[in-house]
Amino acid sequence: MRKVKVGYQLDFRNPPSSTLSFRDLYRESLAQVEAAERLGFDSIWLTEHHFTDDGYLPALMPAAAAIAARTTRVTIGTYVLLAPFFHPLKLAEDAAFVDVISGGRLRLGIGLGYRAEEFEGFGVPRAQRLGRTLETIEILKLAWTGERFSFDGKYFKFRDVRVLPQPVSQPYPELLWGAGAAKSIRRAAALDLGFACVGGRREIGIYLDAIKAAGKDPARYSIVNSRVVYVADSEEQAWRDTRDALMYQAELYGKWLSAAAGTTDQSKVLIRPDADRLRRTSVLGTASEVAARLEETLESTPMTELIVVTQLPGLDPAKARRSLERFGAEVLPRLK
């Protein structure tokens, strides 16, 4: 089996039915971050949305800074940051600050966004999402040189500006492109970016084909991909613990994704509230069962980094922590 890096993902979601306060959830989530570093995980990943009823993490850079202050070794990545909702100079400043205080551990996965509510809330036309994101990437690279620069784009125009501090990472923090559609995946290769994969083996195959077609060495690029993983005394126990949270999460994603696709038919989208499918596609069970499933996945899916998702929205953090500890002690050594 190929050896890969292993990361841990958090989104700080607190569904309306939860009895936890946000303060308690954040405290428990940050404790999981510290545990993940102690257990030998390589990275922590954060994901973003806005204007949701469960407070889905809306503040990536503050969260990354908090994690940087509590860790010394793990890299800190965004999976993914929704670029159309950021002013590029402010993003350059905030990201550079996090990279400096973390000692060069920041990694930025960048995506376009898709929820109409978010574009409406921020007053950004959805039709501008690609153009704004491409200009943002150009501006970030210029800003992170630490030198004065001007930019004359369609959406952003700056004259003689300078961003400090300069990142510790050189020439700048690692950039990855978050995408699931084939055309957008190929754009990652054209932009010379790593790949924050939304999907699995098929999508990674499209990316690798595009990288090779461009005459580039795939070994130069990170390919990160996530799986829901939960370790318990049995697969049945793991399903009982996670079922409600998985269904809650899938129901919301199903609505968001189908609305973005202009359909009410959730059977056509990647994530949907299908209990049998969720149980089958999530990696649930004993440590031995989970390790065997992941070894099989890693053998057939050429990612460089596996992101483990255990703290599902509404799942008791104590249960997520037990699963995390068991994964770290019994599964992680087999993968690494």
Side-chain angles (χ1 to χ4, degrees):
M1 184 193 74
R2 295 177 306 101
K3 302 301 181 183
V4 299
K5 294 179 180 179
V6 181
Y8 190 68
Q9 179 179 312
L10 290 164
D11 56 23
F12 296 85
R13 300 172 72 178
N14 201 22
S17 61
S18 172
T19 59
L20 275 180
S21 67
F22 276 101
R23 183 178 182 181
D24 289 341
L25 175 65
Y26 287 7
R27 183 178 63 247
E28 293 296 329
S29 297
L30 291 171
Q32 288 179 28
V33 166
E34 294 173 339
E37 179 167 77
R38 172 178 53 79
L39 290 164
F41 282 76
D42 299 290
S43 52
I44 302 296
W45 294 86
L46 303 169
T47 183
E48 169 190 22
H49 274 297
H50 301 272
F51 317 126
T52 67
D53 291 336
D54 57 14
Y56 198 130
L57 179 59
L60 287 182
M61 288 301 106
I67 291 168
R70 287 166 171 79
T71 58
T72 60
R73 180 185 54 78
V74 290
T75 60
I76 305 162
T78 59
Y79 186 78
V80 293
L81 177 147
L82 304 179
F85 309 136
F86 287 80
H87 188 287
L89 291 182
K90 186 66 170 70
L91 176 58
E93 291 176 333
D94 290 351
F97 179 88
V98 173
D99 193 63
V100 170
I101 66 170
S102 68
R105 292 185 283 136
L106 183 66
R107 305 163 73 187
L108 285 184
I110 293 176
L112 303 178
Y114 60 89
R115 293 183 62 232
E117 296 91 337
E118 293 173 331
F119 287 94
E120 291 167 2
F122 285 114
V124 175
R126 191 174 184 273
Q128 297 179 3
R129 62 182 188 151
L130 177 59
R132 284 176 171 270
T133 300
L134 294 177
E135 287 192 13
T136 292
I137 291 172
E138 287 187 64
I139 292 163
L140 290 176
K141 292 178 179 179
L142 291 168
W144 286 333
T145 65
E147 303 295 332
R148 293 193 175 276
F149 72 98
S150 298
F151 185 85
D152 186 15
K154 181 176 180 180
Y155 303 104
F156 301 104
K157 299 180 186 297
F158 310 120
R159 180 175 173 79
D160 197 30
V161 293
R162 187 183 188 192
V163 168
L164 290 174
Q166 190 176 0
V168 170
S169 299
Q170 289 299 311
Y172 42 75
E174 180 183 12
L175 297 174
L176 304 96
W177 185 258
K183 183 178 180 180
S184 189
I185 293 169
R186 295 186 185 100
R187 186 174 288 114
L191 291 170
D192 202 38
L193 303 182
F195 184 31
C197 176
V198 180
R201 184 165 55 246
R202 172 184 170 274
E203 288 75 14
I204 292 174
I206 293 170
Y207 173 75
L208 288 173
D209 287 346
I211 285 288
K212 294 171 186 174
K216 300 172 182 177
D217 179 6
R220 291 179 46 224
Y221 302 89
S222 296
I223 301 174
V224 302
N225 196 207
S226 68
R227 294 290 186 280
V228 170
V229 177
Y230 191 86
V231 180
D233 291 336
S234 67
E235 191 274 343
E236 179 62 37
Q237 180 63 56
W239 175 243
R240 283 201 300 270
D241 285 353
T242 59
R243 182 188 185 281
D244 289 348
L246 282 168
M247 288 293 285
Y248 166 84
Q249 177 172 266
E251 184 175 357
L252 280 183
Y253 276 128
K255 289 178 180 177
W256 295 348
L257 291 167
S258 57
T263 179
T264 58
D265 183 3
Q266 294 190 20
S267 68
K268 304 296 185 182
V269 298
L270 181 65
I271 305 173
R272 52 188 182 271
D274 178 333
D276 291 339
R277 184 173 184 272
L278 287 171
R279 185 170 184 171
R280 185 174 66 255
T281 57
S282 302
V283 185
L284 313 174
T286 65
S288 294
E289 290 169 335
V290 165
R293 283 275 307 277
L294 291 177
E295 286 171 343
E296 180 182 343
T297 296
L298 294 173
E299 197 63 42
S300 62
T301 308
M303 67 186 79
T304 64
E305 194 159 352
L306 169 69
I307 301 174
V308 172
V309 182
T310 293
Q311 182 58 72
L312 298 161
L315 177 66
D316 181 353
K319 292 182 177 179
R321 177 66 177 269
R322 282 197 297 272
S323 173
L324 171 63
E325 295 279 354
R326 294 180 70 171
F327 183 93
E330 303 172 57
V331 180
L332 192 58
R334 288 179 57 172
L335 304 182
K336 297 186 65 177

